[in-house]
Amino acid sequence: MSQDKQVVSPLPGIFYRKPDPDAEPYVKEGDPVKAGDVIGLVEVMKNYQEIQVEEDGTIASFAVGNEEVIEAGQVIVVLK
């Protein structure tokens, strides 16, 4: 049984790993995160929703790229 946890998108849209194009990503693979930390944004019709982790962990991998179109329920990040 795997100990990995997944963060999924609550809505369809465009996923952004950065708060703006010139900024650093919210988190990178290997970064530790705590419940409530923001890992990215999903844009839907010029509205942006923060995507937060619900549990403490470490970013194992991103399942989607920056500015990639995603669907509701699609895995964004895998946590260890």
Side-chain angles (χ1 to χ4, degrees):
M1 186 169 154
S2 174
Q3 295 294 320
D4 294 345
K5 302 165 195 133
Q6 299 176 333
V7 178
V8 299
S9 178
L11 65 166
I14 299 173
F15 178 71
Y16 294 95
R17 290 181 60 181
K18 305 173 183 181
D20 69 67
D22 298 326
E24 291 292 315
Y26 286 104
V27 292
K28 299 175 188 162
E29 293 178 356
D31 285 352
V33 290
K34 295 195 176 290
D37 284 354
V38 175
I39 59 166
L41 302 170
V42 173
E43 176 199 354
V44 180
M45 299 180 71
K46 301 297 180 194
N47 290 307
Y48 296 86
Q49 178 169 338
E50 292 182 339
I51 304 298
Q52 301 174 338
V53 295
E54 296 179 356
E55 301 179 48
D56 296 354
T58 301
I59 303 291
S61 63
F62 277 87
V64 296
N66 188 47
E67 299 185 24
E68 187 172 321
V69 176
I70 59 174
E71 299 294 327
Q74 184 172 348
V75 176
I76 297 173
V77 163
V78 176
L79 295 176
K80 288 197 175 228

